[in-house]
Every structure is written in structure tokens, then in C-alpha cells.
Amino acid sequence: MTRTTGPVRGGWETERVIEPRPTSVSAARRRTAIDALRRGAVPESGLDLLATGLDRFESALDAELDGVASGGSVFKAVRGEYGSGKTFFTRWLGERAKRRGFAVAEIQVSETETPLHKLETVYRRLTERLTTASFPPSALRPVVDAWFYALEEDVLASGASEEDLPQEVEKLLTARLAEVSRHAPSFATALRGYRSALAEGDEATAAAVLAWLGGQPHVAAAARRSAGVRGDLDHFGAFGFLQGLLTVLRDSGHKGLFVVLDEVETLQRVRSDARDKALNALRQLIDEVHSGRFPGLYLVITGTPAFYDGQQGVQRLAPLAQRLATDFTTDPRFDNPRAVQLRLSGFTQESLVELGVTIRDLYAEGAGSPDRVKALADDAYVADLARAVGGALGGKVGVAPRLFLKKLVGDVLDRVDQFEDFDPRQHYRLTVTSSELTDVERNLAAAGSADDIDLDV
């Protein structure tokens, strides 16, 4: 049976074989997932409630995560068209990483906000988006504070006295960052400056130094002088700072760092010189990961097939194309999940309905009138609604899930649950307006010449 893996910002993923959803779901987790779907967004957490059919990837990806937790490093490229489930997939994998003790960061590649050819900007976004199982973004300060606490505990465990603690911590800090200091000595210097500012009770300087450590530009000169560092982080220094961050994460109790560079296909739309620099930066990243420079790093990029296969993308740089080359000529069910590239399939009408039924059941578990929800929004009605939404988007089912679930939850299930006399077959007429569509959905809707779709059942 075809099944859906769940929602993504730009689409959804479908696979085979049914995997049971957890039988006990907390009200908070259910509410978080339903609220996100109501907004037409991908839930930030609780994706296991919606993810089915990903078991074909689990064994290989879990083994890779375990390898990274043991000091290895992995680079992975996820490919799929709009609606194939790239964002959902990477967030689902990030949740698995977080449960293993990884820190996680999801970064949107953007020509203006996060250009890939400026790795110092990518590093800055990474620290801004850094999250752990205990702390939301940015978790940089809690991680650094936990690291210093771990150093102090290790020093005390070795028999040092309270009087000798500052000097012994300094020695251990130097030893732990010895390799990092060879490439980015200012990283260790900034950590010392941060600790000194805290010891002196100078919170403003400590916060400024930590911001500099996170790659933030335009930090006050006085704070930089106090910490003994100069200037701003540059493209090449970002590699050394990433090494330093990985060291701090490991020594503060984290198994590794899971990083997603999302929507890398946007590189195809930038100027040719910036695109070439970005593609070369991506090649550098891959080579550094494979060289073992970043132990504890699991790096994922996402992009469309056109990015990986087209002349305006990966194929523009032959060395990068060689590193990402993967055979996709066989049946998708024989795709190798251990390969450098993973292919996500498109959506079907059957899987869209199946997803709708899953969400309907999840909603009913927390509804005030669960029996009425299931009776009035039965499987047949869910199928009709899915068909109508697909029709409003020019018959392109692959891009329908986001809008379909937004309509199902916000327009139908909410009303059934709140109003006893509301019957969607009598009182609801599906209307899709241009303002609620993404650019891709809008283009498909225009091509399908269906401005308003009546749901006749």
C-alpha cells in the first residue's frame, strides 16, 4: 500500500509499507502538529506522528548517525521535486539525530540572506539556528556554558583544588582546543575572553564576545579588544570555527552536529560568478567532511533534480558533479539509502487521501466531538476534498498536500468540531484564492484554469 511520509514546507513524501503511528500521543504534541498544519506549515516537532513509510531509510541513516556519534562525519544530498518531502525528511532525520544527543541547525540558503559562497554567513546562520533537545535557537550560549562547566568538573575530578581551578581549566581548555587553534587560534582566544568577562561580572562584554564567536559582524571594538581578537570572521576562518564548535559540542556532552542546508537549488538563480563561487564552496565543504576534518558533523543539502542534473547547477562544476554522482536509472524501490544522494518520490492521489485520513484521525483524538469529526469527515469526504484541491492546482497532486491539509484542518475539521450543525457536504464550498498559494502552486493553478472549485459530494 502506498503511504505518505508527511508534510514539508514545499511538499510531501510518499513511500510504501505501513508503519504504525505511536498509540499514545500527548495533547501538546498533537496540538503542535495540528496548529502547524492549520497554518499550512511543516511542524517543527512531533514528525513521527505523521511520518510513515520512511522505514526503508531508517537502518542506513541510523547507522550513519551512529558512525558520526562515534567520531565520523557524513555528507548527504537529498533530491526531490517541489512536493516530494525534502523539508519534512530532513526535519524527521534531525529529530532522530536530536534524540541521539546531537545538536541540530536548519539553514535556508538565500542569495541575499545566506549566500553559500560566503561560508562565514553560513556559519553565522548555523549558530543562530543551533538547537538541542533542551534549548531552542540559539543554543550557542547554553552549549558554551555547559562546556566550561564540563571542563571544571573534569579538573575537579582530577584532584585539583578550588584555588587552582582557574589555572587548571585554562590548561585543559588549551589542550582540548589544540587542534582547532592550529587553524583558528582566535576561536580559543574568544572563549577565554568570554570566560574572563563572566568572571569579572561584565555581562555586556561576555555577550558581545559570544556574538563574535558566533560569527556576528560589527561587534563593538572594545569587546573585541577585551577578548584579544580582531576583525570579523571570514570565509576561510569559518572552517576553523566550525571545528571549534564541534569540539565544544562534543566536550559538553553532545554526540555531534546535524546541519541542513535547505533549498540549495536557489543557486541556479544567482549571478554566474556568485554561482560558481557557491558551487566551489560546496565542493570544499564535501571534501572537508570526507577528509575527516569535522568529526561529529552530519551535513545534509536539499535540492531539486534540476539542480543536481542541470547545467546551471551541480553539472556546471565537474569535480562537484563527480562527488555527487549517483545512479538513479533503476526502479526507485531499489535506490541505495547509503548513497551520497537520496531520491524522494512524488505524491499520488491515493497517498494524499491516506495522509488526510491519518491527520483526520489524529485530530479526532483531541477533538471535543471525535465521533462527529470521523462521521462527517469520513474517508469518502477526505478523498473528495483531496481530489478537489488537486484539481484547483491544475491536477498536480504532487504540490497539493500543503494546501490540502490546511483546508482539511482549518476549513473542515475545526468547523465540524466546533459547530454541531455544520456539515461540510452542505455548508462548505472549496475556494482557492491566489493570495494563499505559494509561487509554484499559483503557477499550477493558473495553468489549470480553476479559480474556484466547488466540492460536490
Side-chain angles (χ1 to χ4, degrees):
M1 180 183 295
T2 302
R3 297 181 318 168
T4 47
T5 62
V8 301
R9 177 181 55 251
W12 301 71
E13 164 72 357
T14 59
E15 292 296 339
R16 298 264 175 190
V17 183
I18 293 180
E19 179 183 82
R21 192 164 52 81
T23 56
S24 179
V25 181
S26 71
R29 296 183 73 221
R30 184 190 306 109
R31 183 171 57 252
T32 297
I34 294 298
D35 286 348
L37 298 178
R38 185 181 289 115
R39 299 191 308 270
V42 183
E44 291 287 345
S45 61
L47 299 181
D48 56 309
L49 303 178
L50 313 176
T52 56
L54 291 176
D55 50 312
R56 61 180 300 226
F57 296 110
E58 285 182 0
S59 178
L61 297 180
D62 285 350
E64 289 179 346
L65 287 171
D66 291 341
V68 172
S70 298
S73 54
V74 167
F75 173 85
K76 213 77 170 179
V78 177
R79 65 186 278 145
E81 296 287 2
Y82 181 94
S84 63
K86 298 187 293 296
T87 299
F88 178 87
F89 179 86
T90 55
R91 288 185 181 174
W92 168 81
L93 184 54
E95 280 197 350
R96 298 181 77 82
K98 193 176 290 185
R99 286 198 294 269
R100 280 173 163 74
F102 280 64
V104 175
E106 179 183 321
I107 305 166
Q108 306 299 319
V109 174
S110 162
E111 179 183 8
T112 56
E113 297 296 325
T114 314
L116 190 55
H117 67 283
K118 295 184 178 179
L119 291 179
E120 68 274 22
T121 305
V122 175
Y123 173 81
R124 181 164 74 245
R125 297 287 178 256
L126 189 161
T127 60
E128 291 171 350
R129 296 292 301 158
L130 188 68
T131 180
T132 68
S134 302
F135 296 98
S138 166
L140 179 61
R141 182 161 189 166
V143 165
V144 171
D145 289 345
W147 184 65
F148 278 116
Y149 179 79
L151 292 182
E152 292 177 356
E153 289 295 299
D154 288 347
V155 167
L156 292 174
S158 67
S161 65
E162 291 287 348
E163 293 76 15
D164 295 334
L165 186 61
Q167 297 87 346
E168 294 301 319
V169 168
E170 175 65 24
K171 292 179 182 178
L172 188 55
L173 182 154
T174 300
R176 295 277 174 87
L177 294 176
E179 180 62 24
V180 176
S181 296
R182 291 179 55 241
H183 303 282
S186 56
F187 187 90
T189 302
L191 283 172
R192 293 188 183 95
Y194 171 72
R195 183 166 176 263
S196 297
L198 286 181
E200 296 169 2
D202 189 348
E203 172 61 30
T205 296
V209 173
L210 190 68
W212 188 88
L213 193 67
Q216 296 294 335
H218 315 307
V219 172
R224 285 186 276 120
R225 282 196 302 271
S226 174
V229 296
R230 296 182 298 175
D232 293 328
L233 181 64
D234 60 17
H235 176 89
F236 298 101
F239 282 124
F241 272 44
L242 179 56
Q243 278 184 279
L245 179 60
L246 288 167
T247 298
V248 168
L249 284 167
R250 183 188 64 235
D251 290 347
S252 60
H254 296 281
K255 296 297 184 180
L257 174 62
F258 179 88
V259 178
V260 179
L261 299 179
D262 204 8
E263 297 184 348
V264 179
E265 70 269 9
T266 57
L267 296 180
Q268 299 172 101
R269 300 192 291 271
V270 305
R271 299 189 322 271
S272 60
D273 59 334
R275 185 188 314 137
D276 290 342
K277 291 178 182 178
L279 292 172
N280 190 57
L282 182 56
R283 179 201 59 78
Q284 284 181 291
L285 269 173
I286 295 173
D287 287 349
E288 295 288 4
V289 169
H290 289 163
S291 73
R293 182 175 180 180
F294 302 124
L297 177 64
Y298 196 117
L299 177 62
V300 181
I301 67 170
T302 72
T304 59
F307 169 71
Y308 293 111
D309 302 335
Q311 291 304 314
Q312 299 305 313
V314 169
Q315 300 304 314
R316 187 179 178 92
L317 183 63
L320 179 59
Q322 293 166 5
R323 286 157 176 75
L324 295 179
T326 304
D327 178 19
F328 290 117
T329 60
T330 58
D331 188 307
R333 63 197 179 100
F334 298 122
D335 284 356
N336 178 13
R338 299 174 181 171
V340 67
Q341 274 194 62
L342 296 181
R343 171 170 57 179
L344 301 183
S345 305
F347 219 79
T348 67
Q349 181 67 29
E350 179 187 3
S351 59
L352 187 63
V353 173
E354 196 168 332
L355 176 62
V357 170
T358 297
I359 299 305
R360 190 268 324 275
D361 291 344
L362 180 66
Y363 186 102
E365 290 176 16
S369 303
D371 293 338
R372 189 166 72 246
V373 167
K374 290 187 176 182
L376 294 180
D378 58 15
D379 293 4
Y381 178 84
V382 171
D384 287 333
L385 181 62
R387 191 177 305 108
V389 174
L393 298 177
K396 302 293 184 179
V397 178
V399 299
R402 185 197 72 84
L403 184 62
F404 165 60
L405 290 191
K406 183 174 185 291
K407 296 290 186 181
L408 176 63
V409 173
D411 290 355
V412 177
L413 299 182
D414 279 346
R415 286 169 170 158
V416 170
D417 189 37
Q418 296 178 84
F419 305 107
E420 291 185 6
D421 56 344
F422 177 79
D423 185 340
R425 290 180 171 84
Q426 298 180 33
H427 304 124
Y428 178 63
R429 176 175 180 260
L430 173 67
T431 301
V432 177
T433 61
S434 178
S435 62
E436 63 184 323
L437 301 180
T438 64
D439 290 340
V440 173
E441 291 168 346
R442 191 176 298 114
N443 291 337
L444 291 172
S449 67
D451 295 323
D452 294 338
I453 304 295
D454 291 324
L455 185 58
D456 298 322
V457 292

